[in-house]
Amino acid sequence: MSDKKIIQLVVGPLATNCWIYSAEDCTAIIDPGFDPEVIIAALEKLMVSFSIGQRMSPIYILLTHGHIDHIGAIPAIMEAFPGQIQIAIHGLDKDYIGPTGYETQKVNLKVAFGDTAFLDRIWKGMPAPDILLEEGSIIGSSLHVIHLPGHSPGSIAYWDKEEGVLFSGDVLFAGSRGRTNLPLANEDDMLKSLDRLYAMDGNIKVCPGHGNSTTIKQEIK
């Protein structure tokens, strides 16, 4: 690895992986699902590790998709760092946050779990995105966006080509892949997205939305 840092935090009742990625020109919180106090503490620790007088790189919240277990800590994080963070999501998943977020999440949770009471307990409003991503977008100088629909229309991965690391969200896991029985999910799209990942360099390290890290070649069926 170079001077870039990657920190894994497992948060919330669904054991979502929140990744903190820090490079010279970009610090990103990828998929801040729940437990904002844990995420904020890790980010503050990273900040103090910078030498005196060195400017902290711009902070982004980067979402691989819009499902509640990947976004739940956003309001608290934004409150802790007012004016310092930009939220980025693919345009096709933008309705999961912002003013349309509550109703969109409610429909999704009804199908996923048969109950939406959980949403009412934790929902605190959700800011609208600052950046709408698409295939080929780049965050900082290193994180390239790959559009991988299937689990949701706007599911994406963030790929650092130099480091050989890919943050796959809920598309590809160690020994599994994302479900497609949710509203707006699509099995055909998922299979195409997986084929696209399987065609990439097998040595790429995959940092998924849940579970342990893996590599592309370990997951090729």
Side-chain angles (χ1 to χ4, degrees):
M1 295 287 287
S2 65
D3 58 352
K4 297 173 183 175
K5 296 180 181 179
I6 297 175
I7 301 167
Q8 179 183 12
L9 305 171
V10 182
V11 299
L14 298 182
T16 303
N17 287 330
C18 171
W19 302 93
I20 296 180
Y21 167 97
S22 181
E24 183 178 352
D25 61 354
C26 170
T27 295
I29 309 163
I30 301 173
D31 289 350
F34 292 106
D35 300 336
E37 67 283 354
V38 173
I39 300 170
I40 291 167
L43 191 59
E44 289 176 337
K45 184 177 180 180
L46 180 64
M47 287 177 167
V48 301
S49 72
F50 281 69
S51 60
I52 295 175
Q54 183 176 357
R55 182 179 180 273
M56 182 69 175
S57 54
I59 303 173
Y60 299 91
I61 289 176
L62 303 181
L63 304 176
T64 61
H65 62 294
H67 293 165
I68 188 63
D69 57 317
H70 292 253
I71 70 167
I74 289 177
I77 294 172
M78 298 294 283
E79 184 176 348
F81 302 99
Q84 299 183 51
I85 300 178
Q86 292 183 294
I87 303 170
I89 191 171
H90 192 279
L92 294 178
D93 269 23
K94 64 182 176 59
D95 286 343
Y96 285 103
I97 58 178
T100 59
Y102 176 83
E103 290 301 328
T104 305
Q105 298 289 350
K106 192 171 183 179
V107 171
N108 205 66
L109 285 172
K110 182 69 174 178
V111 174
F113 302 109
D115 182 20
T116 62
F118 168 73
L119 183 65
D120 292 324
R121 291 195 299 269
I122 61 94
W123 190 261
K124 295 182 179 179
M126 196 65 59
D130 300 290
I131 303 169
L132 296 181
L133 301 169
E134 59 185 13
E135 171 74 26
S137 296
I138 302 175
I139 299 293
S141 61
S142 302
L143 287 177
H144 297 253
V145 172
I146 304 174
H147 184 207
L148 299 170
H151 183 63
S152 72
S155 285
I156 55 178
Y158 298 95
W159 179 28
D160 185 329
K161 297 181 181 181
E162 295 177 357
E163 295 296 308
V165 174
L166 182 138
F167 301 93
S168 64
D170 284 5
V171 179
L172 182 63
F173 305 127
S176 184
R177 46 85 152 189
R179 61 191 292 190
T180 56
N181 60 341
L182 298 171
L184 304 180
N186 185 285
E187 178 69 9
D188 288 340
D189 285 345
M190 174 63 83
L191 293 176
K192 292 175 184 176
S193 293
L194 291 170
D195 284 342
R196 184 177 181 191
L197 290 179
Y198 296 154
M200 295 176 70
D201 182 350
N203 293 315
I204 291 173
K205 180 179 179 180
V206 176
C207 297
H210 302 271
N212 296 327
S213 297
T214 184
T215 63
I216 294 289
K217 64 184 176 184
Q218 286 178 293
E219 303 309 318
I220 295 176
K221 302 298 185 285

